[in-house]
Amino acid sequence: MQYRTIADTAVSAIGLGAMPLSIENRPDEARAVATVHAALDAGVTLIDTADSYHWHAGEAGHNELLIARALARYGGDTSDVLIATKGGRGRPGDGSWTVDADPGHLKRAAEASAKRLGVEAIGLYQLHKPDPAVPWTESVGALRDLLDAGTIRAAGISNVTTGQIRQAHQILGDGLVSVQNRYSPAVRDSEPELRLCTRLGLAFLPWSPLGGISRSSLDGPSGPTSAGTAFQRIAAERGVSPQQIALAWLLSRSPAVIPVPGASRPASVRDSARAAALELSSGELAQLEDVVGVEEHRNETGAEPRSALVGG
């Protein structure tokens, strides 16, 4: 396993997005725990969760409790595992997602998350999404208060703009260590945010990092995958999965990038972890960049250019 850093903490270059273990169509607990254990066996030391990662009403924190149980049952040392959780969203049980970044709610949510995870202080606590009903500076101020109180050791923000990153950085200083936005071969709207994170020394954790290669567990089916493109061709030539090629491509974008692909089976997480050691040549990266450019054009125009079917 290769490593990257979140502030001064070394973590695996590929993390585990634990959401699929708790939301709709989740596996049974035995397979879920086996998936977490497979990640740990593969050298994964970053696990991404949230209090809103659950399926039914009344089971907030399902994923956090699951992760805590899985770690407790693991036979090896887990002292170097960083659990990154999030607060500020909810799920009423009808399939929808709500937003609540009120400072009082965030403080209570962080305390509840720490209790479920069985820790005195949360290693990385992320504001899940800006709340249009709450001034951004007030929501970020709650993270400042949580840092000062010792409830959390480091803070992150998610689904944010460059302006919001700058404001949060002013308020939190070195306490802000990460940004988690959607970013993948097919969705590159957060390119400006990635560049800013690289300049500021913040880790950038892409969610749904396999968009265009695999469907997102959060959004459901979102269009065709990139069958027939350079991702598949290069994967076939290398004898690896297209998902590994996509993750290796993400790692090549910036030293700040630490993808957290979701998994619900041990085989999937083992495959993703192997991407950390996969180095793409300049020629392969050029081919993949052509594919990404085509995807951007298709997303902007709604058209399906002929070159999108053949990888540019």
Side-chain angles (χ1 to χ4, degrees):
M1 176 58 69
Q2 304 296 314
Y3 291 86
R4 294 195 168 184
T5 57
I6 299 179
D8 57 356
T9 300
V11 298
S12 54
I14 302 291
L16 169 64
M19 180 177 65
L21 302 177
S22 291
I23 64 167
E24 289 82 344
N25 303 311
R26 64 195 182 202
D28 61 29
E29 177 147 336
R31 195 176 92 185
V33 169
T35 300
V36 176
H37 289 179
L40 299 173
D41 289 342
V44 171
T45 61
L46 172 63
I47 300 177
D48 182 73
T49 181
D51 61 1
S52 58
Y53 289 171
H54 61 88
W55 187 348
H56 307 291
E59 59 174 19
H62 181 281
N63 198 244
E64 294 172 324
L65 289 167
L66 173 65
I67 296 304
R69 289 194 297 272
L71 291 176
R73 297 174 191 171
Y74 187 64
D77 181 16
T78 61
S79 60
D80 61 344
V81 176
L82 175 63
I83 305 300
T85 191
K86 295 181 285 294
R89 300 203 76 175
R91 301 206 74 194
D94 60 359
S96 66
W97 296 76
T98 60
V99 181
D100 184 355
D102 174 79
H105 170 77
L106 289 175
K107 293 175 186 178
R108 292 188 297 272
E111 292 167 357
S113 289
K115 184 176 181 180
R116 285 189 289 264
L117 291 170
V119 297
E120 293 184 3
I122 296 170
L124 173 56
Y125 191 70
Q126 305 160 96
L127 199 167
H128 208 152
K129 188 175 184 179
D131 186 342
V134 179
W136 176 241
T137 54
E138 292 184 12
S139 297
V140 176
L143 297 181
R144 177 74 270 169
D145 292 342
L146 288 166
L147 286 165
D148 293 342
T151 308
I152 66 176
R153 292 196 176 94
I157 51 179
S158 182
N159 298 298
V160 289
T161 65
T162 54
Q164 289 166 334
I165 294 171
R166 291 190 180 96
Q167 282 186 299
H169 193 248
Q170 289 177 345
I171 295 169
L172 299 173
D174 292 341
L176 178 66
V177 301
S178 67
V179 170
Q180 187 169 164
N181 277 13
R182 187 176 189 179
Y183 188 79
S184 70
V187 180
R188 287 183 63 194
D189 296 345
S190 285
E191 190 76 41
E193 287 75 24
L194 170 56
R195 290 196 298 267
L196 179 59
C197 286
T198 303
R199 289 199 299 272
L200 294 177
L202 304 175
F204 185 86
L205 316 178
W207 65 261
S208 192
L210 299 175
I213 303 298
S214 299
R215 303 191 192 284
S216 167
S217 296
L218 178 63
D219 295 331
S222 56
T225 56
S226 55
T229 68
F231 284 91
Q232 276 69 27
R233 291 202 310 274
I234 293 171
E237 292 167 0
R238 289 288 198 110
V240 301
S241 70
Q243 287 79 7
Q244 282 191 47
I245 298 298
L247 293 170
W249 175 81
L250 284 166
L251 290 171
S252 76
R253 304 301 295 169
S254 164
V257 172
I258 306 173
V260 285
S264 61
R265 297 181 298 116
S268 296
V269 74
R270 284 193 289 263
D271 184 75
S272 292
R274 285 192 285 269
L278 184 62
E279 291 189 17
L280 299 172
S281 70
S282 58
E284 289 170 333
L285 289 171
Q287 293 180 60
L288 297 175
E289 193 65 23
D290 287 343
V291 174
V292 170
V294 167
E295 290 292 336
E296 286 183 325
H297 176 71
R298 181 168 63 84
N299 291 339
E300 291 172 0
T301 64
E304 181 71 35
R306 180 177 178 82
S307 58
L309 303 178
V310 297

